[in-house]
């Protein structure tokens, strides 16, 4: 005989489970029959589904999943859809390769395809440095404006994408080199201070010392004007930035300008011509061109 003593809940007359929390006892009520029937039905349906549909991983050497009595496999369906999509994209990609950039922008179908493909490729390859939507960051140009270090036309953007900037493995890369005037002892610290004062002046910033800025103008003319121009407006054929447009790649404070002149800033952009196909590069050119409204 069992020595178990049933604990009966007095108000309901139902046996409890023996569990109690803060004076509240758990009743040992049976599950509703309708709930049990539904549960049994789901078990039966799942067993039938496992036989009819490929729901069980296959044994090694028998493929990825069992095919079931229906001979259906979602993997095969997805593979067929991907193959169909690739065929469609190959046709559109061939049209992109054969068309000029100007033709792509005037053909709405090609333009829409190029914009979608370019946005996707930008997110995968370019946004890490240039930011989502080309908003840029310190040391990485903003592409969502019409300020360009080099050529901002469709053809110019494509060239930059294809050959990169200061990419040593590409003989056609865009290349410019700013000397490290302080690090390489081309100018003294005092001369650099003067040049910075002059740059601050032509940039519309207040220089602390007018005499220093005047001396800096002479040094600028002999050391910097050959690239940046006598008036500091830059030269895009050389990749020399405009120093008067209030757009600064590495910061426009006095300290940041001093650091740039002292150490030089010669950033690198990879040449995507060897990594991406022609259709993708053209799509990227169209997408990047659209970010700043086009030039």
């Amino acid at each position: 005989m069992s020595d178990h003593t049933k604990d009966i809940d007095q108000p309901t007359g139902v046996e409890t489970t023996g569990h109690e929390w803060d004076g509240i006892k758990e009743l040992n009520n049976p599950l509703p029959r309708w709930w049990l029937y539904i549960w049994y039905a789901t078990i039966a349906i799942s067993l039938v589904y496992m036989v009819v549909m490929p729901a069980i991983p296959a044994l090694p050497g028998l493929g990825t999943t069992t095919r079931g009595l229906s001979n259906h496999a979602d993997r095969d369906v997805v593979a067929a859809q991907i193959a169909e999509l690739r065929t469609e994209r190959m046709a559109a990609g061939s049209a992109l390769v054969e068309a000029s950039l100007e033709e792509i922008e005037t053909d709405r179908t090609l333009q829409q395809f190029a914009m979608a493909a370019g946005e996707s490729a930008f997110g995968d390859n370019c946004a890490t440095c240039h930011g989502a939507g080309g908003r840029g960051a310190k040391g990485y140009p903003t592409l969502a404006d019409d300020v360009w270090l080099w050529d901002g036309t469709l053809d110019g953007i494509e060239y930059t994408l294809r050959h990169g900037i200061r990419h040593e493995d590409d003989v056609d890369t865009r290349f410019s080199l700013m000397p490290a005037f302080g690090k390489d002892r081309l100018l003294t610290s005092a001369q650099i201070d003067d040049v910075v004062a002059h740059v601050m002046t032509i940039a519309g910033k207040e220089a602390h010392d007018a005499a220093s800025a005047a001396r800096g103008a002479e040094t600028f003319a002999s050391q910097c004007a050959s690239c940046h121009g006598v008036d500091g407006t830059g030269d895009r054929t050389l990749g020399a930035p405009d120093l008067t447009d209030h757009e600064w790649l590495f910061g426009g404070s006095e300290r940041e300008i001093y650091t740039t002149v002292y150490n030089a800033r010669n950033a690198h952009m990879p040449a995507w011509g060897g990594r991406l196909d022609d259709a993708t590069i053209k799509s990227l050119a169209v997408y990047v061109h659209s970010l700043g409204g086009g030039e």
Side-chain angles (χ1 to χ4, degrees), residues 68-143:
L69 297 179
S70 66
N71 197 34
H72 171 85
D74 285 340
R75 289 178 180 270
D76 293 344
V77 174
V78 172
Q81 292 174 341
I82 292 175
E84 181 180 356
L85 180 60
R86 283 177 176 171
T87 301
E88 294 176 357
R89 287 186 174 180
M90 284 178 63
S94 298
L96 281 181
V97 172
E98 295 171 1
S100 67
L101 289 168
E102 289 72 18
E103 289 172 340
I104 293 172
E105 286 214 327
T106 56
D107 186 314
R108 185 163 183 80
T109 301
L110 281 178
Q111 184 186 41
Q112 288 179 336
F113 179 81
M115 287 291 292
E119 183 177 9
S120 176
F122 188 92
D124 292 340
N125 301 284
C126 313
T128 304
C129 294
H130 291 286
R135 65 178 181 269
K138 188 174 182 179
Y140 303 100
T142 299
L143 304 176

Side-chain angles (χ1 to χ4, degrees), residues 54 56-67 73 75-76:
I56 306 173
L59 295 174
L62 298 179
T64 54
T65 58
T66 54
R67 300 191 67 84
R75 289 178 180 270
D76 293 344

Side-chain angles (χ1 to χ4, degrees), residues 4-214:
H4 173 69
T5 302
K6 295 182 179 180
D7 182 17
I8 305 299
D9 179 58
Q10 295 302 321
T12 61
V14 177
E15 182 184 359
T16 71
T17 62
H19 300 154
E20 181 179 345
W21 297 271
D22 297 332
I24 301 174
K25 295 182 178 181
E26 180 183 17
L27 302 182
N28 192 18
N29 282 316
L31 292 171
R33 289 186 178 276
W34 65 266
W35 190 93
L36 283 173
Y37 292 152
I38 292 176
W39 184 46
Y40 295 147
T42 58
I43 294 175
I45 291 172
S46 66
L47 292 174
V48 172
Y49 187 92
M50 291 171 67
V51 174
V52 176
M53 300 294 288
I56 306 173
L59 295 174
L62 298 179
T64 54
T65 58
T66 54
R67 300 191 67 84
L69 297 179
S70 66
N71 197 34
H72 171 85
D74 285 340
R75 289 178 180 270
D76 293 344
V77 174
V78 172
Q81 292 174 341
I82 292 175
E84 181 180 356
L85 180 60
R86 283 177 176 171
T87 301
E88 294 176 357
R89 287 186 174 180
M90 284 178 63
S94 298
L96 281 181
V97 172
E98 295 171 1
S100 67
L101 289 168
E102 289 72 18
E103 289 172 340
I104 293 172
E105 286 214 327
T106 56
D107 186 314
R108 185 163 183 80
T109 301
L110 281 178
Q111 184 186 41
Q112 288 179 336
F113 179 81
M115 287 291 292
E119 183 177 9
S120 176
F122 188 92
D124 292 340
N125 301 284
C126 313
T128 304
C129 294
H130 291 286
R135 65 178 181 269
K138 188 174 182 179
Y140 303 100
T142 299
L143 304 176
D145 59 22
D146 276 334
V147 179
W148 299 92
L149 282 174
W150 299 89
D151 189 346
T153 64
L154 273 168
D155 290 331
I157 295 171
E158 182 191 16
Y159 187 94
T160 302
L161 286 166
R162 194 175 295 280
H163 300 291
I165 297 173
R166 302 182 190 91
H167 190 78
E168 295 180 356
D169 295 333
D170 191 315
V171 295
D172 295 319
T173 190
R174 294 194 185 278
F175 189 83
S176 63
L177 185 65
M178 175 175 173
F181 288 102
K183 184 178 179 181
D184 293 338
R185 300 182 180 180
L186 302 175
L187 295 176
T188 66
S189 180
Q191 288 175 312
I192 294 176
D193 285 334
D194 293 342
V195 169
V196 171
H198 172 68
V199 171
M200 296 279 288
T201 300
I202 63 176
K205 300 175 181 288
E206 183 179 353
H208 297 298
D209 189 339
S212 176

Side-chain angles (χ1 to χ4, degrees), residues 221-233:
S222 62
Q223 301 291 332
C224 313
S226 58
C227 293
H228 292 284
V230 176
D231 56 357
T233 53

